[in-house]
Amino acid sequence: MSSYGLDVDVGNFDENDNPEPYYMDRMYWAAMGSFIGLAFVLRASDYLLGWIRLRRRSSSRSHSALSRLYTTCTSLGRSLTYPTPLILQRHPAFFSLPSVGRTVLALLYLGFILALCFYKQPLKTDADWENAGFRTGWLALAQLPMVTLLASRRLNVIAFLTGSSSSVSLNFFHRWVARGVVLTASLHWLYMSRGSSNLDSVLDDTNTLDSNGIGGWLVLAWLALFSSLRPLRRRFYEIFFANHVASAIVLFIILLLHTTDYTQLMAHDYIFIALGLYIGDVIVRWIIILFFNISFSRERPGLCRFTASVRVMPDLETILIEIPTTAAGRGIRRYKWKPGQHVTISFPTVAPFTSHPFTVSSLPKDEKMLAQEVQEDKTDQQIGVTAAPAPVVTATASFPVLVDLPHGGPTRDWNQFETVLAVVSGVGATFGFSVIRDVLCQSRANQVKMIWCVKRYADIGHFEDQLRAALAEHTERVSNVQQDDEKCQNLAADYHPVLSNLSIDIFISDCATEPSIATSVGSLSGILNAHADMIHLVAGKPSDLRGDIGRVLDQAAGETGVAVCGSASLSAQVKNIVAALLSGGATAGCWVHSEQFQA
């Protein structure tokens, strides 16, 4: 034991006014709590602003000095945090740089951890080194609940308070906090093994304390570094997830054994808190799943009250999932979701031990959930093979499914913006159509635009139903505005509703703007021809995406909401463009929410 002693009754500082080891973990949580509190204040201000706009039907254009100051500050912050370096983005499956905002937060976090490790920590005697080892060990334990919180789905207090509901952002910080645990655990091992006596103790097989410590570090490094590499978790996600859970359980057991001699100093508290958060999250999630999925009807009692109709599209690469919600339940068990949210669906008869998230492209009023997915992983391929065992034009099969409650999605209501722009690629249109359809159903936005990039002309037909619904809602809205002049005159003086301007630009990368013979797209061609003034087909990829986005922002009457769904490179490109436009002061404010195919 060090000359400082590890007694919680001696105070937070020693006789030399240096912090005791267990004091720094309290400082860690004080700082984390302050940061989360600040993020909550910012989220509350955004929520209040949106509530005022929707309640008063007021314009999002800044009129008062306070609102102009708010717009200036948010635009400056977004112009600094949105940009993403595009270098090394050619192979995002292996490596891609995060945005400037995420990079700064990750570096600040690691710098803060190192500051707690070295603040007023002398390294002159063996006792000083041992004391530094205890400090870094306590900091490693203190970060475990944060790692678990960031990985939680139903008990994610951080997501609720900060509004960061995107799984990409939460997983990013989950990984970097875990790397902070590896950093402090490595320093703990380095400090505790200094000196010949301590080194002999580490190499002694009979010393279970040091053996457990070395074993815990190896499991931690495997869990947080080597087995979590992006190519592995994207290519073999099921194996990655099973290994992640098993390795975490082993790590917790080893940590409990390693800290047995320090239970009176509450060394086990952080471990039990992290375990409790994880177990509680799993229990709550399964309670919700069982509550919404068990069928109590006499006609069809059982576990799965939802039935998914899976259709394999003609390209044999895309599957369309349709889950009716009308007969699934009423009242408290009625299944509802918000635009842009995704649901986790499990197919027990096909892949009983796996589940996958799907973005819902339909609205609750449709009384059915529609989702699309490209057959990339093993589960999608199994579903596709089961639905279409032989190559056919179109094949449909029904499966009992387990559906979790919807989660994720944007933190701000799209209806508070007067201009909404959706930039999507491929099946990312599931997110884009849910956003623009929700906006068209309201009476606020006067400009709605969607930029959609597809590979083939036939890919447009996969979303024919959603395209029809969006056009029908736009027609209905125009009719309602024209027939309700009296209501428009009673609105706030600074709000003048106009007919919404809907525009959908579809870029086809293979330059084939004509339907293929093998694809049944007769009805689709009729839709495109009948609405040629709103739907524009363009051969090739977008050549001037900055100009397209810039024109939308220049015409905006107030703050613009931009929805992005696609690859990491598309999200980075759009955010870079918006950041450049904001820094040039050419817009009245712009907010971007991005969803990525994989993280």
Side-chain angles (χ1 to χ4, degrees), residues 460-482:
I460 307 174
H462 302 167
F463 294 88
E464 181 178 346
D465 293 341
Q466 295 304 306
L467 188 60
R468 285 179 180 273
L471 294 172
E473 285 155 357
H474 172 260
T475 302
E476 181 182 0
R477 177 181 173 183
V478 171
S479 176
N480 292 338
V481 172
Q482 290 176 336

Side-chain angles (χ1 to χ4, degrees), residues 384-463:
V385 170
T386 306
V392 292
V393 175
T394 302
T396 305
S398 297
F399 301 92
V401 293
L402 294 175
V403 182
D404 196 359
L405 276 182
H407 52 276
T411 58
R412 300 180 67 182
D413 193 335
W414 294 106
N415 297 313
Q416 67 179 277
F417 303 105
E418 296 180 24
T419 301
V420 175
L421 169 65
V423 183
V424 298
S425 64
V427 295
T430 55
F431 179 77
F433 274 114
S434 66
V435 171
I436 67 171
R437 285 192 58 201
D438 179 61
V439 173
L440 290 172
C441 289
Q442 309 299 321
S443 59
R444 178 177 180 81
N446 52 40
Q447 184 178 10
V448 181
K449 184 179 181 63
M450 181 173 176
I451 300 176
W452 183 15
C453 305
V454 297
K455 290 183 179 180
R456 299 174 296 271
Y457 181 94
D459 295 341
I460 307 174
H462 302 167
F463 294 88

Side-chain angles (χ1 to χ4, degrees), residues 338-349:
K338 296 180 180 179
Q341 287 191 309
H342 46 273
V343 297
T344 302
I345 303 175
S346 176
F347 293 80
T349 58

Side-chain angles (χ1 to χ4, degrees), residues 280-597:
D281 183 73
V282 173
I283 292 175
V284 170
R285 183 187 176 194
W286 274 104
I287 290 176
I288 293 174
I289 291 176
L290 294 176
F291 178 77
F292 279 95
N293 286 272
I294 293 180
S295 176
F296 299 103
S297 64
R298 297 181 180 179
E299 294 79 8
R300 188 186 172 186
L303 178 60
C304 301
R305 70 184 180 123
F306 291 102
T307 300
S309 176
V310 179
R311 180 173 44 160
V312 180
M313 305 308 291
D315 58 6
L316 300 180
E317 296 179 0
T318 309
I319 58 175
L320 174 63
I321 302 174
E322 179 178 331
I323 304 177
T325 58
T326 50
R330 298 290 182 181
I332 192 174
R333 295 218 306 164
R334 183 181 180 184
Y335 199 88
K336 295 182 292 185
W337 63 93
K338 296 180 180 179
Q341 287 191 309
H342 46 273
V343 297
T344 302
I345 303 175
S346 176
F347 293 80
T349 58
V350 179
F353 301 107
T354 61
S355 59
H356 289 266
F358 297 88
T359 302
V360 184
S361 61
S362 55
L363 299 181
K365 71 172 188 175
D366 298 333
E367 297 185 333
K368 62 182 178 180
M369 286 188 293
L370 290 177
Q372 291 202 22
E373 183 79 1
V374 178
Q375 300 183 48
E376 291 183 344
D377 56 25
K378 186 177 180 181
T379 302
D380 295 333
Q381 294 172 359
Q382 288 178 335
I383 297 172
V385 170
T386 306
V392 292
V393 175
T394 302
T396 305
S398 297
F399 301 92
V401 293
L402 294 175
V403 182
D404 196 359
L405 276 182
H407 52 276
T411 58
R412 300 180 67 182
D413 193 335
W414 294 106
N415 297 313
Q416 67 179 277
F417 303 105
E418 296 180 24
T419 301
V420 175
L421 169 65
V423 183
V424 298
S425 64
V427 295
T430 55
F431 179 77
F433 274 114
S434 66
V435 171
I436 67 171
R437 285 192 58 201
D438 179 61
V439 173
L440 290 172
C441 289
Q442 309 299 321
S443 59
R444 178 177 180 81
N446 52 40
Q447 184 178 10
V448 181
K449 184 179 181 63
M450 181 173 176
I451 300 176
W452 183 15
C453 305
V454 297
K455 290 183 179 180
R456 299 174 296 271
Y457 181 94
D459 295 341
I460 307 174
H462 302 167
F463 294 88
E464 181 178 346
D465 293 341
Q466 295 304 306
L467 188 60
R468 285 179 180 273
L471 294 172
E473 285 155 357
H474 172 260
T475 302
E476 181 182 0
R477 177 181 173 183
V478 171
S479 176
N480 292 338
V481 172
Q482 290 176 336
Q483 297 175 5
D484 203 4
D485 294 336
E486 182 179 355
K487 179 180 178 180
C488 294
Q489 295 173 359
N490 294 330
L491 296 178
D494 61 343
Y495 179 71
H496 304 283
V498 297
L499 298 182
S500 62
N501 178 22
L502 174 63
S503 175
I504 301 177
D505 295 343
I506 306 177
F507 293 85
I508 307 173
S509 59
D510 66 357
C511 299
T513 57
E514 295 296 331
S516 61
I517 299 176
T519 307
S520 176
V521 290
S523 60
L524 176 62
S525 299
I527 297 175
L528 299 179
N529 293 330
H531 299 86
D533 57 330
M534 289 185 290
I535 304 177
H536 314 102
L537 299 184
V538 184
K541 298 180 180 180
S543 58
D544 187 19
L545 187 58
R546 179 188 177 111
D548 295 335
I549 298 177
R551 283 186 288 273
V552 173
L553 299 186
D554 290 339
Q555 298 171 6
E559 187 178 15
T560 302
V562 179
V564 187
C565 186
S567 62
S569 59
L570 176 65
S571 176
Q573 186 179 5
V574 173
K575 285 191 171 183
N576 287 347
I577 293 173
V578 171
L581 295 173
L582 288 175
S583 61
T587 70
C590 183
W591 175 74
V592 180
H593 175 82
S594 64
E595 295 281 348
Q596 297 177 14
F597 290 149

